[in-house]
């Protein structure tokens, strides 16, 4: 008889090279959530390097395509999935088996369709997302956390793993020969 089942594993990543969740994600079809800029409609990944302070205690997101500042009030509309009438969508980002190419951080509708049209090459569905997408956490709170973590290794690790959703890479320490 046939059975169907789904296995759901959810976790923040651990140490790079040692993390079971990161290894499973890398073996998956590596879906990432692309959202449309409200100014130019380019689909893009939200990353910490594009967050900026725009006023005291107010942070915005600088579009990768048109360089326009996306206001916090526009965030919720950006997050609306295409299935629900919005423009955001999950895109399969695993490397092309022949070329090693992956989708760039900014893509158009046609590129999103092309990446999703390919099969999953025997890979299971895997999803990765960071807190910049959270409708419950303001961008200003994320920038504050980043600023508070700077220079404190333990806080930087926590920020990387829990806010950015990235495995922590241990820095090798050089031993003084003397």
């Amino acid at each position: 008889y046939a059975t169907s089942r789904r296995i759901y594993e959810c976790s923040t990543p651990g140490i790079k090279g040692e993390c079971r969740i990161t290894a499973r994600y890398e073996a998956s079809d590596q879906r990432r959530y692309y959202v449309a800029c409200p100014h130019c409609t380019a689909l893009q990944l939200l990353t910490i390097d594009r967050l900026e302070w725009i006023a005291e205690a107010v942070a915005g997101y600088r579009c990768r395509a048109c360089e326009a500042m996306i206001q916090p009030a526009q965030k919720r509309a950006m997050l609306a999935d295409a299935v629900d009438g919005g423009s955001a969508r999950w895109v399969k980002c695993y490397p092309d088996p022949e070329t090693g190419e992956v989708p760039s951080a900014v893509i158009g509708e046609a590129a999103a369709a092309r990446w999703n049209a390919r099969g999953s090459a025997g890979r299971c569905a895997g999803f990765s997302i960071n807190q910049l997408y959270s409708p419950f956490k303001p961008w200003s709170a994320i920038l504050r956390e980043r600023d508070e973590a700077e220079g404190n290794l333990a806080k930087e690790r926590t920020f990387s793993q829990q806010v950015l959703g990235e495995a922590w890479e241990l820095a090798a320490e050089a031993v003084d020969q003397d």
Side-chain angles (χ1 to χ4, degrees):
Y1 74 99
T3 57
S4 70
R5 64 184 178 131
R6 296 189 191 272
I7 298 172
Y8 175 76
E9 296 180 76
C10 179
S11 180
T12 55
I15 305 297
K16 191 171 189 170
E18 300 175 12
C19 177
R20 173 183 54 85
I21 290 295
T22 301
R24 292 213 172 135
Y25 176 73
E26 288 172 356
S28 77
D29 63 8
Q30 301 178 24
R31 297 177 197 202
R32 296 211 177 249
Y33 204 57
Y34 282 75
V35 297
C37 171
H39 305 285
C40 71
T41 72
L43 293 170
Q44 60 195 289
L45 295 172
L46 297 182
T47 56
I48 191 74
D49 61 314
R50 304 302 289 183
L51 272 186
E52 298 177 16
W53 291 110
I54 54 179
E56 189 174 329
V58 178
Y61 192 86
R62 176 105 26 220
C63 174
R64 291 180 180 280
C66 70
E67 294 294 323
M69 183 58 70
I70 301 167
Q71 300 295 319
Q74 297 170 304
K75 179 180 177 181
R76 189 170 292 273
M78 284 176 56
L79 298 175
D81 197 277
V83 173
D84 298 324
S87 300
R89 69 203 62 227
W90 289 98
V91 175
K92 295 175 187 173
C93 295
Y94 70 91
D96 182 278
E98 294 171 10
T99 65
E101 179 188 13
V102 295
S104 65
V106 179
I107 59 175
E109 294 283 338
R114 179 177 65 87
W115 284 102
N116 281 340
R118 65 192 180 135
S120 292
R123 297 164 174 260
C124 65
F127 303 85
S128 178
I129 199 161
N130 61 50
Q131 284 188 19
L132 275 75
Y133 293 89
S134 174
F136 309 111
K137 189 160 191 175
W139 287 330
S140 56
I142 293 170
L143 278 183
R144 245 189 306 331
E145 276 186 57
R146 183 203 61 192
D147 294 346
E148 289 171 4
E150 195 171 327
N152 180 322
L153 206 53
K155 287 184 178 183
E156 286 177 0
R157 176 180 172 171
T158 300
F159 182 80
S160 174
Q161 293 172 317
Q162 295 181 3
V163 178
L164 301 181
E166 297 173 354
W168 179 253
E169 192 164 359
L170 292 172
E173 292 184 24
V175 178
D176 186 345
Q177 66 183 11
D178 296 325

